[in-house]
Amino acid sequence: QVQLVESGGGLVQAGGSLRLSCAASGSIFSIDVMGWYRQVPGKQRELVATITSGGSANYADSVKGRFTISRDNSKNTVFLQMNSLNPGDTAVYHCNANVEYYSGSSFGAYWGQGTQVAVSS
């Protein structure tokens, strides 16, 4: 199995910062794209940011200039530095990873259990 464990969520005031981490472990040969998604009750899951194994990042328009995604391939870990947080960022943040189980295998998508981010006004 592959497990993704997120950490770093919490309660912060508007304008503050949080840094999320997601560590993947288990049967992993390599990881292609990793990303962060967020979801609030009653709304569709929203892509926040993705990053390739080579470090190419993409961001949702709502977080551009405020959030930075990065990764440490040697540790199978992805980070999300969130600055200038506002109440609209309140959500459960989930980590996603596309995992290659062994060389030449297909990729499988895995999700973490999520970490709560709450931003007060």
Side-chain angles (χ1 to χ4, degrees):
Q1 283 191 332
V2 175
Q3 298 85 36
L4 302 179
V5 180
E6 302 104 331
S7 62
L11 176 64
V12 66
Q13 291 184 325
S17 298
L18 287 172
R19 185 173 187 251
L20 306 183
S21 299
C22 173
S25 62
S27 300
I28 299 171
F29 176 75
S30 68
I31 303 177
D32 185 11
V33 177
M34 301 186 78
W36 290 95
Y37 297 75
R38 64 189 183 187
Q39 190 168 30
V40 298
K43 296 185 67 177
Q44 188 176 1
R45 182 186 65 198
E46 176 188 22
L47 184 148
V48 177
T50 61
I51 185 168
T52 68
S53 61
S56 180
N58 288 290
Y59 299 93
D61 289 341
S62 60
V63 306
K64 286 181 179 178
R66 300 189 297 120
F67 291 9
T68 302
I69 189 170
S70 61
R71 63 191 287 172
D72 184 341
N73 291 335
S74 67
K75 298 180 179 179
N76 291 327
T77 301
V78 63
F79 307 93
L80 186 68
Q81 178 66 47
M82 304 185 294
N83 299 325
S84 301
L85 287 162
N86 61 66
D89 297 316
T90 296
V92 176
Y93 284 70
H94 292 268
C95 175
N96 169 264
N98 294 303
V99 177
E100 184 181 25
Y101 311 106
Y102 55 87
S103 181
S105 75
S106 61
F107 285 83
Y110 288 86
W111 295 86
Q113 293 180 330
T115 184
Q116 176 71 58
V117 172
V119 184
S120 65
S121 60

